[in-house]
């Protein structure tokens, strides 16, 4: 390639920064593969499917979890600009609603977005959500219909839907096949033609935005930046504007798609910085990097911090692993800025962390990454949301854990609500409305996107979404509905705390805050489950579900009894009765002083099995918003 395209020497007018956005399973990673092949940055012998999905967990599940940036050289083949050399900085983004924060950060680092729609499935809920995000960032959107090689593809029909949504003509929607490569070269030419070049001041002090970072065991923190103004050169001393920390650069370069060392990176370019720093708190996503010798006066805008939607406790099975869990969370926070955590203790589970997640899939992925990458064995408690409790005296308490729920007189309880968008075929509108109303939903509006596709907009309590709502939605619509949601404030609700008493003592790990109409069902189900999980004792053990001092459900674990009548082969009944009475007195004394030790396996089974109210719909490929 010409020298003008080398990192640091590239004319900003030749650079195009864009990301690929779509609903899950609409072919983003496959299209990215074809772009890597056609531009020739990956050796054909090293090429593999979903090349940019680096984690094992991504490849196993077939979903993208982390955004990946890559630099592609491209010589335009068609039209007025044929022969024009350009540099494309592409970011492949996740599609699942739980990873929207990754998408929003990627959009902030780009000038344009390629909006991908499956030509066999059409517009889905996450397609709309990502399009609105791109519009909020004032990006140029190029609409694409992918998978045109499928027998079920209907490109003309969905081109009209897409054109109506964006406000363009149906013929403006490009047709490509990420699988066969058809139309991908034309798409790359259109990216160069339609997208604006990055704007920045090359002679101003350096300002670069950190949009991602990872931790390498040998090299320390590796920071990914998009240069807005100025030029960063190798061996410069860089300064983090939020913390004031100064580091010497050991290496800088670009990702193409493997790290490629460079002497400098300039305006509009995307690259990586390596300082050898091992302290993961020194690099924060959204921070501005400048040069220490000539620092910038004002920092860039940064990113809006994501608000956790679901809280769950993570505890190591072996208590001595607590420091390792803390270090693992620190390193994972560097790679996933949407993760929130703080230390907490539980009488039943010991020391652990209260973690905030964007959704159930996010929770499951984080837990699996911690177990795989750090070799930890973890228990996660049933997920719950944050409640605001107002007491009779006017004081307020924020409750992230059922154990924090106040025991005094409660005046009002407020729960978080979300604005949910459900896209479904016309035939299933009745089933979807019945499901949403059964989950205390309020209909906000309903639109027909086409003759056979309906968009339903509901306000729903967050607590109703995080359990088995999505599984139910899929089963009622035969897999055709899609769901997207975003936080929308809070509402007052009639909520109660259900305590589980074991032998008269409350076990905090099994407590839950539920709507009063569902309290009885929760109490009955958890008591029945614990009866099968807790081993029998020498005395009878009652398992009770209670709201305050009122018992709403009960199960009993029968005592293990020795056969004291085995030696009585005959004789008077009074002899047998005397032995039974003696045994009964012994059991009564034992019950007074006895304690029930709940085995670790029972906690794991009750809190982490697929039957528990917190885990339904959280795991496995079928539970993704993919159809």
């Amino acid at each position: 390639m010409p020298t003008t395209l080398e990192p640091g020497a590239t004319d900003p007018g030749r650079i195009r920064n864009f990301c690929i956005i779509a609903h899950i399973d609409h072919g983003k990673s496959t299209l990215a593969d074809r772009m890597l092949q056609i531009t020739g940055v990956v050796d054909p012998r090293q090429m593999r499917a979903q090349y940019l999905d680096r984690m094992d967990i991504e490849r196993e599940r077939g979903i993208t979890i982390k955004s990946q940036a890559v630099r592609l050289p491209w010589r335009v083949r068609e039209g007025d600009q044929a022969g024009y050399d350009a540099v494309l900085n592409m970011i492949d983004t996740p599609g699942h609603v739980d990873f929207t924060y990754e998408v929003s950060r990627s959009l902030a680092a780009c000038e344009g977005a390629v909006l991908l729609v499956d030509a066999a499935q059409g517009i889905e809920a996450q397609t709309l959500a990502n399009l609105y995000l791109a519009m909020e960032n004032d990006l140029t959107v190029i609409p694409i219909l992918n998978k045109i090689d499928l027998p079920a593809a209907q490109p003309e029909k969905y081109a009209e839907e897409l054109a109506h949504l964006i406000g363009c003509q149906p013929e403006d929607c490009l047709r490509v096949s990420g699988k066969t490569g058809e139309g991908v070269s034309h798409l790359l030419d259109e990216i160069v033609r339609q997208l604006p070049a990055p704007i920045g001041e090359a002679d101003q002090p350096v300002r670069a935005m950190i949009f991602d970072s990872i931790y390498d065991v040998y090299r320390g923190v590796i920071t990914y930046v998009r240069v807005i103004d100025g030029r960063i050169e190798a061996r410069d001393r860089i300064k983090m504007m939020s913390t004031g920390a100064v580091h010497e650069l050991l290496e800088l370069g670009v990702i193409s798609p493997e790290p490629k060392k460079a002497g400098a990176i300039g305006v509009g370019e995307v690259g990586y910085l390596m300082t050898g720093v091992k302290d993961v708190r020194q690099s924060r996503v959204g921070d501005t990097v400048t040069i220490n010798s000539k620092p910038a006066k004002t920092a860039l805008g940064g990113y809006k911090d994501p608000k956790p939607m679901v809280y769950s406790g993570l505890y190591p099975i072996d208590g001595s692993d607590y420091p390792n869990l803390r270090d693992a969370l620190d390193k994972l926070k560097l790679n996933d800025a949407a993760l929130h955590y703080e230390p907490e203790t539980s009488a039943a589970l010991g020391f652990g962390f209260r973690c905030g997640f964007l959704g159930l899939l996010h929770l499951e992925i984080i837990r699996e990454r911690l177990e795989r990458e750090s070799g930890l064995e973890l228990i996660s408690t049933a997920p719950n949301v944050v409640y605001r409790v107002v007491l009779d005296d006017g004081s307020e308490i924020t409750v992230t854990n059922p154990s924090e729920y106040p025991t005094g007189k409660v005046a009002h309880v407020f729960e978080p609500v979300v604005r949910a968008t459900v896209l479904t075929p016309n035939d299933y509108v009745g089933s979807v409305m019945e499901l949403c109303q059964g989950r205390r939903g309020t209909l906000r509006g309903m639109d027909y996107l086409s003759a056979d596709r309906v968009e339903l907009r509901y306000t729903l309590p967050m607590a109703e979404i995080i359990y088995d709502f999505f599984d139910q939605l899929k089963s009622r619509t035969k897999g055709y509905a899609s769901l997207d949601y975003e936080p929308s404030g809070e509402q007052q609700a009639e909520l109660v705390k259900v305590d589980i008493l074991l032998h008269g003592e409350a076990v905090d790990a099994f407590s839950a805050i539920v709507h009063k109409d569902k309290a009885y069902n929760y109490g009955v189900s958890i008591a029945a489950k614990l009866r099968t999980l807790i081993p029998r004792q020498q005395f009878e053990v009652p398992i009770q579900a209670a709201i305050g001092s009122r018992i709403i459900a009960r199960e009993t674990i029968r005592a293990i009894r020795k056969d004291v009548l085995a030696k009585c082969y005959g004789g008077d009944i009074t002899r047998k009765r005397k032995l039974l009475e003696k045994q009964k007195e012994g059991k009564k004394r034992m019950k007074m002083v006895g304690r029930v030790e709940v085995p670790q396996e029972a906690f794991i089974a009750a809190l982490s099995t697929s039957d528990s109210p917190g885990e339904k719909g959280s795991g496995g490929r079928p539970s993704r918003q993919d159809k």
Side-chain angles (χ1 to χ4, degrees):
M1 301 303 290
T3 54
T4 51
L5 297 190
E6 289 303 311
T10 308
D11 172 14
R14 293 181 178 272
I15 297 173
R16 301 291 184 273
N17 295 323
F18 71 98
C19 59
I20 306 175
I21 55 175
H23 189 81
I24 200 162
D25 265 7
H26 279 211
K28 295 180 297 299
S29 298
T30 309
L31 180 62
D33 286 349
R34 295 296 79 73
M35 289 181 174
L36 294 175
Q37 271 187 319
I38 289 170
T39 54
V41 294
V42 179
D43 189 296
R45 289 173 300 176
Q46 294 178 324
M47 193 63 201
R48 60 181 186 185
Q50 281 78 48
Y51 188 86
L52 294 177
D53 288 349
R54 301 299 171 91
M55 286 187 276
D56 291 343
I57 192 168
E58 289 181 311
R59 307 187 68 79
E60 285 167 19
R61 289 170 176 259
I63 58 174
T64 302
I65 294 166
K66 278 296 298 173
S67 297
Q68 296 289 348
V70 61
R71 180 186 174 103
L72 309 169
W74 181 244
R75 177 167 285 173
V76 178
R77 300 184 182 184
E78 304 168 4
D80 315 338
Q81 296 177 309
Y84 181 82
D85 289 311
V87 169
L88 309 179
N89 286 315
M90 176 192 73
I91 302 179
D92 178 28
T93 65
H96 195 282
V97 63
D98 282 14
F99 304 110
T100 304
Y101 186 58
E102 287 281 323
V103 181
S104 68
R105 294 211 320 265
S106 303
L107 291 168
C110 298
E111 281 77 39
V114 171
L115 180 69
L116 212 59
V117 172
D118 188 329
Q121 296 183 49
I123 294 166
E124 303 276 18
Q126 201 62 24
T127 313
L128 289 175
N130 287 335
L131 172 63
Y132 297 150
L133 276 175
M135 288 176 167
E136 281 172 24
N137 284 274
D138 294 327
L139 299 193
T140 304
V141 177
I142 301 178
I144 306 287
L145 286 168
N146 191 24
K147 305 189 185 180
I148 57 169
D149 56 306
L150 291 179
Q154 297 174 281
E156 284 74 26
K157 175 185 172 183
Y158 294 125
E160 283 189 24
E161 269 189 35
L162 196 50
H164 173 69
L165 191 66
I166 293 177
C168 63
Q169 297 302 314
E171 52 270 21
D172 294 338
C173 300
L174 305 181
R175 276 100 160 144
V176 303
S177 169
K179 190 174 181 182
T180 65
E182 182 185 344
V184 177
S185 297
H186 178 59
L187 166 60
L188 291 169
D189 289 345
E190 286 298 308
I191 287 169
V192 176
R193 190 178 68 80
Q194 293 187 32
L195 297 189
I199 298 169
E201 304 289 336
D203 53 353
Q204 290 296 313
V206 169
R207 290 197 304 170
M209 171 74 79
I210 299 176
F211 67 89
D212 204 358
S213 49
I214 59 169
Y215 184 82
D216 185 281
V217 178
Y218 303 106
R219 298 179 155 199
V221 177
I222 301 172
T223 305
Y224 295 106
V225 296
R226 151 80 195 269
V227 181
I228 306 296
D229 298 322
R231 171 186 165 96
I232 304 176
E233 297 188 358
R235 311 307 292 189
D236 273 342
R237 287 176 67 79
I238 61 168
K239 180 179 182 181
M240 305 291 178
M241 291 191 74
S242 70
T243 61
V246 177
H247 311 293
E248 185 172 339
L249 269 181
L250 301 180
E251 186 183 314
L252 65 77
V254 294
I255 306 291
S256 184
E258 304 304 325
K260 182 181 169 189
K261 212 166 168 180
I265 51 175
V267 172
E269 292 192 290
V270 175
Y272 69 88
L273 308 177
M274 217 177 280
T275 58
V277 172
K278 296 289 177 99
D279 183 358
V280 294
R281 295 176 189 82
Q282 296 279 2
S283 178
R284 203 165 55 82
V285 166
D287 198 357
T288 303
V289 176
T290 188
I291 300 297
N292 190 43
S293 57
K294 191 185 174 186
K297 291 184 173 60
T298 55
L300 297 164
Y303 302 113
K304 190 168 68 175
D305 279 337
K307 222 176 144 190
M309 307 278 270
V310 176
Y311 280 85
S312 175
L314 287 180
Y315 296 86
I317 288 179
D318 182 353
S320 62
D321 279 339
Y322 176 74
N324 300 337
L325 176 58
R326 185 179 56 226
D327 292 343
L329 282 166
D330 281 345
K331 288 171 187 170
L332 201 54
K333 167 79 174 172
L334 188 69
N335 194 234
D336 186 346
L339 172 66
H340 287 250
Y341 59 92
E342 56 189 38
E344 78 165 359
T345 55
S346 159
L349 302 172
F351 290 99
F353 289 89
R354 188 90 192 140
C355 302
F357 306 93
L358 298 184
L360 278 189
L361 183 70
H362 189 209
L363 184 162
E364 191 188 357
I365 294 294
I366 291 291
R367 178 180 160 180
E368 200 162 329
R369 284 185 69 184
L370 287 168
E371 290 180 342
R372 287 188 186 202
E373 294 169 18
S374 304
L376 298 166
E377 284 189 78
L378 302 173
I379 302 174
S380 58
T381 61
N384 62 281
V385 297
V386 183
Y387 299 99
R388 184 166 66 89
V389 180
V390 180
L391 301 177
D392 273 356
D393 60 5
S395 59
E396 287 189 9
I397 297 172
T398 301
V399 176
T400 61
N401 189 344
S403 62
E404 297 169 2
Y405 197 84
T407 52
K409 288 277 183 92
V410 172
H412 308 292
V413 183
F414 294 90
E415 62 177 350
V417 293
V418 295
R419 285 197 303 270
T421 304
V422 180
L423 266 68
T424 177
N426 201 5
D427 303 346
Y428 305 112
V429 172
S431 299
V432 173
M433 292 178 90
E434 185 188 351
L435 172 65
C436 292
Q437 279 154 8
R439 299 301 179 96
R440 300 187 283 132
T442 309
L443 182 66
R444 290 189 299 113
M446 176 175 165
D447 286 319
Y448 278 81
L449 296 178
S450 64
D452 56 354
R453 287 171 73 74
V454 184
E455 178 190 358
L456 294 164
R457 295 184 300 280
Y458 269 90
T459 299
L460 283 157
M462 184 68 206
E464 299 286 354
I465 289 262
I466 65 168
Y467 292 152
D468 60 344
F469 180 84
F470 189 67
D471 278 359
Q472 289 290 325
L473 180 67
K474 282 292 190 189
S475 63
R476 289 180 185 227
T477 60
K478 298 184 180 171
Y480 284 108
S482 60
L483 169 73
D484 181 60
Y485 57 83
E486 59 181 27
S488 175
E490 59 182 16
Q491 70 179 17
Q492 192 174 330
E494 294 185 346
L495 302 170
V496 293
K497 179 189 176 188
V498 179
D499 281 313
I500 302 299
L501 308 176
L502 204 56
H503 198 45
E505 288 184 21
V507 183
D508 63 342
F510 297 129
S511 298
I513 299 168
V514 294
H515 192 265
K516 68 169 192 175
D517 295 342
K518 299 188 177 178
Y520 175 72
N521 287 342
Y522 175 76
V524 168
S525 66
I526 199 82
K529 186 185 293 181
L530 288 175
R531 187 170 69 88
T532 62
L533 292 171
I534 295 172
R536 288 170 70 184
Q537 311 287 320
Q538 292 283 346
F539 50 92
E540 195 176 82
V541 178
I543 302 168
Q544 297 165 309
I547 299 172
S549 57
R550 185 165 61 92
I551 305 297
I552 58 169
R554 172 179 170 132
E555 293 280 351
T556 304
I557 301 173
R558 292 184 60 204
I560 298 172
R561 288 184 57 189
K562 181 181 173 187
D563 187 1
V564 292
L565 303 182
K567 57 186 177 183
C568 298
Y569 50 86
D572 191 7
I573 187 68
T574 53
R575 188 172 167 219
K576 293 180 181 178
R577 191 172 292 138
K578 183 180 173 185
L579 289 168
L580 288 170
E581 289 295 328
K582 190 177 175 185
Q583 184 186 44
K584 192 175 174 184
E585 285 297 319
K587 294 285 182 198
K588 196 182 288 183
R589 277 199 307 276
M590 208 180 284
K591 190 170 183 177
M592 287 165 65
V593 296
R595 284 182 56 81
V596 181
E597 293 295 331
V598 182
Q600 201 80 349
E601 296 76 32
F603 280 113
I604 298 168
L607 298 173
S608 308
T609 59
S610 58
D611 297 331
S612 77
E615 292 286 324
K616 281 188 178 177
S618 67
R621 194 174 167 89
S623 294
R624 293 169 17 228
Q625 282 128 340
D626 57 352
K627 293 294 180 190

